[in-house]
């Protein structure tokens, strides 16, 4: 007799299944959650569930479906004026675009995300965007910029209450950039990023999204 609690439980179970890479089970649980939240007219809950369903679709290799689900969730966040939710949607989208090697899309979405994060003071999602931009910078031959962005992301995460998740892909990126620059240069550039305040870290990210002259 507590449907809202059931929806939260289904969502949590779906997250656990996703993190265990049991994507069929994750999708089934999250679809049940989505149906229940629609019945409850829990629009914020629906938008968040769409984001996580999109991340499952992306992990399964269906980028088109992931993009469609993210955009549906983002449109819902915009319709209810939930700026923090919009920042979350953008950070998911830019991370996936960067992982897929779509630098143009990642850069465009990251800029929107950073502007939203600056408005709400969203440190965790700003860190996610900076890490995505680091991947773009590395792929475009700017290792020093990638190291600064990784340092800034690390600083913002250290000041967040959100859980420190395992990030194997980001760890590999960090080691690739370190190997290219050498320990001394990498540590110097990383320290420059790590010393930045939240406002300056956002500005660093915005500079990284500026069109090349």
């Amino acid at each position: 007799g507590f449907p809202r609690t059931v929806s939260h439980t289904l969502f949590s179970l779906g997250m656990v299944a996703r993190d265990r890479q049991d994507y069929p089970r994750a999708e089934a649980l999250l679809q049940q959650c989505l149906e229940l939240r629609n019945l409850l007219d829990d629009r914020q809950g629906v938008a968040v569930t769409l984001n996580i369903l999109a991340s499952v679709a992306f992990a399964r290799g269906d980028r088109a479906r992931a993009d469609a689900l993210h955009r549906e969730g983002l449109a819902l966040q915009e319709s209810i004026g939930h700026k923090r939710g919009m920042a979350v949607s953008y950070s998911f989208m830019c991370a996936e675009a960067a992982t897929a090697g779509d630098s143009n899309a990642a850069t465009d979405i990251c800029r929107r995300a950073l502007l939203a994060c600056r408005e709400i003071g969203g440190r965790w999602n700003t860190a996610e965007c900076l890490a995505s931009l680091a991947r773009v910078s590395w792929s475009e031959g700017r290792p020093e910029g990638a190291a600064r962005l990784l340092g800034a992301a690390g600083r913002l995460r250290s000041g967040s209450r959100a859980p420190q998740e395992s990030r194997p892909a980001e760890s590999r990126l960090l080691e690739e950039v370190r190997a290219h620059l050498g320990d001394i240069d990498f540590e110097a550039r990383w320290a420059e990023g790590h010393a930045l305040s939240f406002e300056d870290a956002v500005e660093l990210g915005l500079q990284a999204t500026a069109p090349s002259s």
Side-chain angles (χ1 to χ4, degrees):
F2 293 95
R4 194 170 296 275
T5 302
V6 173
S7 76
H8 293 329
T9 304
L10 287 167
F11 183 83
S12 297
L13 288 168
M15 290 284 284
V16 171
R18 185 198 67 164
D19 293 345
R20 290 178 172 173
Q21 299 182 0
D22 187 351
Y23 300 127
R25 177 166 172 74
E27 183 158 359
L29 288 162
L30 291 166
Q31 283 289 358
Q32 291 180 61
C33 174
L34 185 65
E35 291 167 10
L36 186 52
R37 286 179 167 177
N38 272 312
L39 287 172
L40 291 166
D41 196 27
D42 178 6
R43 293 193 291 169
Q44 176 59 22
V46 167
V48 172
T49 308
L50 287 168
N51 277 333
I52 304 303
L53 270 170
S55 72
V56 172
F58 185 83
R60 301 183 79 175
D62 192 346
R63 189 182 173 197
R65 183 165 186 265
D67 187 63
L69 289 167
H70 276 314
R71 292 188 183 283
E72 184 180 352
L74 179 61
L76 186 52
Q77 300 281 17
E78 290 174 339
S79 72
I80 61 178
H82 195 273
K83 293 181 179 179
R84 188 169 298 277
M86 291 165 59
V88 171
S89 293
Y90 280 136
S91 65
F92 267 105
M93 293 168 72
C94 65
E96 291 172 7
T99 300
D102 191 343
S103 297
N104 289 335
T107 299
D108 177 60
I109 297 167
C110 276
R111 184 169 188 84
R112 297 184 216 173
L114 288 167
L115 291 171
C117 288
R118 181 167 64 183
E119 188 172 353
I120 64 171
R123 297 173 66 89
W124 183 261
N125 290 302
T126 298
E128 297 298 292
C129 294
L130 295 176
S132 298
L133 286 171
R135 184 169 299 281
V136 172
S137 293
W138 171 244
S139 69
E140 294 184 344
R142 301 192 303 274
E144 294 88 355
R148 290 189 190 93
L149 288 161
L150 287 168
R155 167 69 179 273
L156 293 179
R157 287 190 185 123
S158 68
S160 171
R161 293 182 181 180
Q164 299 291 327
E165 299 175 0
S166 175
R167 301 175 182 278
E170 190 173 321
S171 295
R172 288 193 297 272
L173 172 63
L174 188 148
E175 291 308 317
E176 288 172 2
V177 177
R178 180 192 293 275
H180 180 86
L181 291 175
D183 287 342
I184 294 175
D185 284 349
F186 174 83
E187 293 293 346
R189 303 291 83 77
W190 190 91
E192 289 172 1
H194 198 264
L196 296 176
S197 65
F198 170 74
E199 292 78 11
D200 288 340
V202 171
E203 187 58 36
L204 178 70
L206 289 174
Q207 290 171 8
T209 68
S212 301
S213 56

